[in-house]
Amino acid sequence: MPISRLEREIQMSDIAFELQSWCNSVLDLMDKGLFCIARDVSHYDAMLLGVLTKNARLLCESTIDKEGTLYTPVCLTLAALARKLKLTIKAEYWKAAIENVLQLRHQLILQQPDAIGIYLGTPASIFMGQLGEALSNAGLLPRSTILNEENRKLALGLSLNWLLRFLLAYALEADKVKPQGKNVKDIAWIKGLLERNPDVLEGTKP
């Protein structure tokens, strides 16, 4: 029996809070294990920029795989973006990202664009395209941008927005990923978290 809208909202919120907790753990690890080596503001900003440019380029030059190999550069980019923007990634951000990913999955299934000879890609590839464009506009890729400083900062915010969505879509499509352990919260854990409630996963209607 299909779950009610209220039950689905509760389950969706629970997933979002678990993702928020996971994200906080990622940020804590990066702060204490990487970013802490910068002893002053100028070195800290330079480190964030270095992590961002290196991993943004790695992500955008990589092929989306099924084994979850992009998990580490995604996490590094996520942490550096959050710290660069001085932003707390709250549960509602994750909830919006989940809904966006599931909506796109459902739309692509319903519309069947390949039936008229058009291939739009998978949700992960579509979100990766938007992420690459935002990272480029933010000046983090070896491409020229005509945006001023204010608009580059807006592009940074959009980069984080698309990165959250890419991560979730990427996890769902990583059907060859192998769990590293029962208590390890990695890409396999994110995939399992999203698939734990099939009513939520399949319940988004266009």
Side-chain angles (χ1 to χ4, degrees):
M1 180 181 297
I3 62 174
S4 68
R5 182 182 295 272
L6 177 59
E7 289 173 319
R8 184 174 178 278
E9 283 294 313
I10 292 173
Q11 290 184 15
M12 189 87 75
S13 295
D14 288 343
I15 294 172
F17 276 112
E18 289 202 58
L19 286 168
Q20 180 188 32
S21 178
W22 164 84
C23 186
N24 288 340
S25 297
V26 170
L27 290 171
D28 186 61
L29 174 64
M30 298 304 173
D31 285 339
K32 294 177 180 178
L34 181 61
F35 300 152
C36 68
I37 66 174
R39 297 298 182 181
D40 56 56
V41 173
S42 60
H43 284 88
Y44 182 76
D45 289 341
M47 169 165 282
L48 291 182
L49 182 59
V51 171
L52 274 175
T53 53
K54 176 183 177 180
N55 288 281
R57 180 181 299 185
L58 178 60
L59 283 176
C60 293
E61 292 179 351
S62 297
T63 301
I64 298 175
D65 65 285
K66 300 291 187 179
E67 292 80 22
T69 58
L70 297 180
Y71 174 70
T72 294
V74 166
C75 289
L76 286 164
T77 305
L78 174 62
L81 278 172
R83 291 303 182 238
K84 182 73 173 175
L85 292 165
K86 297 180 174 62
L87 182 68
T88 299
I89 305 176
K90 301 177 181 179
E92 52 259 41
Y93 300 166
W94 287 109
K95 186 171 182 290
I98 296 168
E99 290 173 340
N100 200 180
V101 170
L102 299 186
Q103 182 81 19
L104 180 58
R105 278 166 54 95
H106 200 79
Q107 288 282 16
L108 289 176
I109 292 171
L110 284 184
Q111 299 302 322
Q112 297 182 326
D114 54 334
I116 55 174
I118 298 174
Y119 180 65
L120 298 178
T122 68
S125 67
I126 291 173
F127 286 122
M128 173 59 89
Q130 295 301 314
L131 173 61
E133 191 67 23
L135 289 170
S136 178
N137 288 335
L140 297 173
L141 298 180
R143 309 172 192 166
S144 60
T145 177
I146 61 173
L147 299 184
N148 59 28
E149 184 176 351
E150 181 180 355
N151 286 329
R152 286 190 183 193
K153 186 173 181 180
L154 291 174
L156 275 180
L158 282 174
S159 297
L160 181 59
N161 176 78
W162 295 125
L163 185 65
L164 299 185
R165 286 151 177 78
F166 168 71
L167 172 59
L168 299 180
Y170 176 57
L172 285 170
E173 293 174 26
D175 52 17
K176 295 182 181 179
V177 68
K178 296 180 179 179
Q180 297 184 45
K182 183 178 180 181
N183 298 317
V184 178
K185 292 187 175 182
D186 55 4
I187 188 73
W189 175 83
I190 295 175
K191 179 179 178 64
L193 179 65
L194 294 170
E195 293 180 338
R196 186 184 303 167
N197 300 299
D199 291 311
V200 171
L201 193 62
E202 302 301 333
T204 302
K205 302 299 181 183

